[in-house]
Amino acid sequence: TTTSADGTTTTTTNADGTKSTTTTTNTDDGTTTTSTTTTNSNSDGTIVSTTVTTTTTTNSANGGTETTSSTSTTITNPIDGSSTTMTNNVNVDGTTTSSTSTTTVNNDGSTTTETKNSDGSGDTSTTKVNNDGSTTTTTNNSDGSSNISTTKVNDDGSTTTTTNNSDGSSNISTTKVN
C-alpha cells in the first residue's frame, strides 16, 4: 500500500496483480484519513472491492491520538446487478460494530437494499425511477417506522426532496447550486 501525506491519490499495482487506490487527506484540526480500495475480479465474473479506511484524530483534552477504522467489502454480480456489502467498524474504545447490506434489482427496474446491523437493527429500502424522471425511495425500518422520499430535479437545476414519515411528519428540502 502506498500512502501520501499531501492529500493526493496514489494507485499501486500489488504483487497479485490487483490494483489499490489510496487517498490520504489531512484537515486543519489534525485529522488524517487514509482510505485504500482494492478491486479484484473472480473467475465466476463477480467483482470484489475492499475499502479500508483509517481515521486518526487528536484528542484535544490530552493531546493524544485516537484511531477508528472501517473495512468494507462489496461483492458485485455484473450480470444481474446484485451486490452484497459487509462492513466492520472498530471504534476508539476497541469495540466493533458491523453490518451486511444486500442489493437486488427487481423485475420492474427498481432496486431493493436490505441492511442488517450487528445490534439487531436494520431496514429495507426500495428505490425506483418514475416516469417523470423523479426517484422514489420507500424505507421500512426494523423498529416499525417507515418513510417515502421522492427526489426530483427542477427546471432551474435545483433538487427537491419530499419525505413523508409513518408518524405523520413530513419535510421538503430543496438544494440549489449557486
Side-chain angles (χ1 to χ4, degrees):
T1 303
T2 302
T3 57
S4 53
D6 56 1
T8 59
T9 299
T10 302
T11 300
T12 304
T13 300
N14 303 310
D16 59 2
T18 60
K19 287 189 176 181
S20 298
T21 300
T22 299
T23 301
T24 299
T25 56
N26 298 292
T27 57
D28 293 336
D29 63 358
T31 299
T32 300
T33 300
T34 302
S35 181
T36 301
T37 300
T38 302
T39 303
N40 185 38
S41 296
N42 291 327
S43 57
D44 61 0
T46 57
I47 300 170
V48 180
S49 179
T50 300
T51 299
V52 179
T53 303
T54 303
T55 301
T56 302
T57 58
T58 302
N59 187 319
S60 58
N62 58 27
T65 58
E66 298 177 340
T67 300
T68 59
S69 65
S70 173
T71 301
S72 179
T73 300
T74 300
I75 303 172
T76 303
N77 185 336
I79 297 176
D80 60 10
S82 63
S83 65
T84 300
T85 300
M86 295 154 286
T87 303
N88 188 66
N89 302 305
V90 180
N91 305 309
V92 172
D93 60 2
T95 58
T96 60
T97 57
S98 62
S99 66
T100 300
S101 180
T102 301
T103 300
T104 55
V105 179
N106 305 309
N107 293 332
D108 62 358
S110 63
T111 59
T112 298
T113 301
E114 182 179 8
T115 301
K116 295 181 179 179
N117 302 309
S118 55
D119 63 0
S121 65
D123 62 67
T124 300
S125 179
T126 298
T127 300
K128 68 174 181 177
V129 178
N130 304 308
N131 293 332
D132 62 359
S134 63
T135 301
T136 297
T137 300
T138 303
T139 302
N140 295 296
N141 301 305
S142 57
D143 62 2
S145 64
S146 63
N147 64 69
I148 299 174
S149 179
T150 299
T151 301
K152 68 174 182 177
V153 178
N154 304 309
D155 293 336
D156 63 357
S158 63
T159 301
T160 298
T161 300
T162 303
T163 302
N164 295 299
N165 303 304
S166 57
D167 63 2
S169 64
S170 63
N171 62 69
I172 298 175
S173 174
T174 299
T175 303
K176 172 181 174 181
V177 178
N178 298 318

